[in-house]
Amino acid sequence: MNRPYTIATLGSHSALQILKGAHDEGFKTLAVANRDTETLYRSFAFIDEVIGVDSYSEFPSLMGELEKRKVIIVPHGSFVAYLSLEEHKKMTIPYFGNKAVLDWEASRELQREWLTKAGIMMPRQFKSGAEIDRPVIVKLYGAGGGKGYMFIRDAHDFEKRSKELKKAYTIQEYIVGVPLYIHYFYSPLQDRVEIMSMDRRYETNVDSLGRIPAAAQEGMDVSPSYVVVGNQPVSLRESMLAEALRMGENVVKVSKEIAGPKGLFGAFCIETIITPDMQFFCMEISARIVAGTNLFIDGSPYSYLNYTEPMSTGRRIAREIKNALLTNNLRLVLDDSSRL
Ligand code: ATP
């Protein structure tokens, strides 16, 4: 390919994976980095250009300059953290993904409607502390990476601890099981969902409590927290793979009914907890590349089944854009607001 487009992203989250993948697929690459991270991104040979900004919130002001070049933006988790939904929608620069899905992802209520329509089980939601009749997890809105989440045993426990809650929150049934984050890719060109990889998060201190016997915990002032500090690769019991794939396919199918004909495409992740009767409960869906895919920059056991070369999620995104360009279908993989 004669490298007509540059793939650009913010310098954080999964930028290295996205840009390495873009480079391997023959694109030029650009990172917008802040003063702290500029040197890091400049140190990699596969990144052709780095634009330094004082703060990521300056990103929208770069649009004029980026539009002059043939740039395609690949968003990741930090876009959601640094740019508001309105700012996302205002951008007319070519954008990989469907922005209509963002509204469905941003609201816990709409997410629930979407996932339930897709036949996916979700933990029960409680409207108030008084309704609590089982162990719950209290989740703060906008909390990144499980920070500030609380495990609550019952309504009485909630009453005692609710004064610690300074931000808006939701109360969700606590599912006892193992967490599994499934990374998918939906290709609109091939109308096909692929499982790219899977991970589990390594969370402090909930993942260490099992190392202290329950009897010894009694009287200790320790309660679980859910702060993510890392990710571990997982392969799923093969008999459960068909269900995992079905969930991904159903989520895509329903997204086309609720978020415009293009629906959800590209990378996404269903965050699940699996109970002892092997039931998947979905905690949340992320409608873009998630940081857990960084474990698989060199590919995963699952991507190896589909590709005999290293295929990260970042590279898969670039491959889709490349295939769209080669078949004159670029619009199919960009948000409708994209000005080409
Ligand atoms: P991010 O937005 O970065 O994905 P988050 O802040 O939305 O993270 P979640 O993924 O919703 O956080 O949850 C963080 C952790 O809390 C999970 O990995 C899991 O350990 C625990 N958790 C969340 N919901 C439940 C639940 N219903 N039952 C049991 N544990 C839960």
Side-chain angles (χ1 to χ4, degrees):
M1 200 173 54
N2 59 347
R3 305 175 104 211
Y5 277 92
T6 295
I7 294 210
T9 197
L10 283 183
S12 72
H13 193 269
S14 45
L16 291 173
Q17 183 195 156
I18 291 169
L19 298 179
K20 174 72 166 71
H23 171 84
D24 290 346
E25 291 300 308
F27 289 96
K28 281 189 273 182
T29 57
L30 185 156
V32 176
N34 65 23
R35 302 295 169 213
D36 254 3
T37 56
E38 225 180 319
T39 5
L40 172 78
Y41 291 97
R42 286 193 202 286
S43 75
F44 291 100
F46 61 84
I47 301 179
D48 297 310
E49 194 183 347
V50 175
I51 299 182
V53 290
D54 288 327
S55 137
Y56 287 135
S57 55
E58 281 174 35
F59 188 69
S61 67
L62 293 176
M63 286 307 121
E65 196 182 326
L66 295 183
E67 271 176 359
K68 283 191 218 133
R69 316 171 195 201
K70 288 176 107 180
V71 162
I72 296 174
I73 299 284
V74 174
H76 51 57
S78 300
F79 277 76
V80 187
Y82 294 112
L83 305 181
S84 67
L85 232 67
E86 289 65 40
E87 279 168 321
H88 261 87
K89 289 185 181 169
K90 265 195 253 150
M91 283 195 289
T92 55
I93 192 155
Y95 178 99
F96 179 79
N98 177 4
K99 294 179 193 169
V101 173
L102 296 177
D103 294 317
W104 286 84
E105 187 200 27
S107 144
R108 288 202 196 267
E109 289 68 36
L110 290 180
Q111 261 204 27
R112 181 166 285 268
E113 193 183 323
W114 173 11
L115 293 162
T116 311
K117 262 195 183 155
I120 293 174
M121 301 266 282
M122 294 199 72
R124 216 185 120 180
Q125 199 80 23
F126 294 91
K127 288 199 185 72
S128 70
E131 269 184 26
I132 296 174
D133 63 355
R134 64 194 77 189
V136 295
I137 180 163
V138 175
K139 301 182 168 194
L140 304 184
Y141 276 106
K147 208 165 170 211
Y149 285 14
M150 266 186 214
F151 172 81
I152 302 277
R153 230 184 135 93
D154 50 31
H156 177 64
D157 191 17
F158 182 82
E159 222 178 279
K160 274 199 309 200
R161 299 188 57 200
S162 56
K163 49 182 165 310
E164 293 168 37
L165 295 162
K166 305 277 183 248
K167 280 200 212 162
Y169 57 85
T170 54
I171 308 171
Q172 207 174 70
E173 170 184 10
Y174 191 89
I175 306 289
V176 181
V178 293
L180 181 78
Y181 290 63
I182 312 169
H183 317 142
Y184 300 89
F185 186 88
Y186 171 62
S187 159
L189 299 175
Q190 298 170 335
D191 186 21
R192 177 168 182 262
V193 173
E194 294 161 43
I195 290 180
M196 297 300 301
S197 46
M198 297 174 196
D199 78 297
R200 61 166 295 195
R201 290 175 167 190
Y202 198 37
E203 295 168 342
T204 182
N205 59 11
V206 71
D207 286 324
S208 67
L209 290 179
R211 299 168 56 151
I212 308 171
Q217 284 182 36
E218 234 183 277
M220 268 173 79
D221 185 20
V222 56
S223 53
S225 56
Y226 299 85
V227 179
V228 183
V229 290
N231 304 77
Q232 297 167 326
V234 181
S235 72
L236 181 63
R237 208 170 149 156
E238 191 150 321
S239 59
M240 300 179 77
L241 264 185
E243 178 60 11
L245 183 62
R246 208 160 23 240
M247 289 194 302
E249 288 174 341
N250 288 344
V251 157
V252 168
K253 189 161 154 250
V254 173
S255 74
K256 292 183 183 183
E257 293 160 20
I258 59 173
K262 282 185 177 170
L264 169 66
F265 63 83
F268 65 101
C269 172
I270 304 183
E271 308 181 353
T272 70
I273 297 190
I274 309 169
T275 56
D277 54 358
M278 304 233 242
Q279 177 68 53
F280 288 95
F281 279 82
C282 175
M283 295 178 274
E284 199 172 86
I285 181 166
S286 290
R288 71 190 64 67
I289 185 168
V290 291
T293 60
N294 285 337
L295 284 167
F296 308 102
I297 293 188
D298 203 28
S300 82
Y302 295 106
S303 71
Y304 184 70
L305 298 171
N306 285 318
Y307 305 91
T308 43
E309 60 199 317
M311 185 58 68
S312 68
T313 293
R315 184 169 184 183
R316 184 66 191 82
I317 292 170
R319 174 73 54 97
E320 192 75 0
I321 298 172
K322 183 167 95 178
N323 287 342
L325 282 166
L326 292 173
T327 55
N328 256 327
N329 276 316
L330 189 56
R331 288 225 166 264
L332 278 187
V333 302
L334 298 179
D335 183 68
D336 290 340
S337 65
S338 305
R339 214 161 46 202
L340 288 174

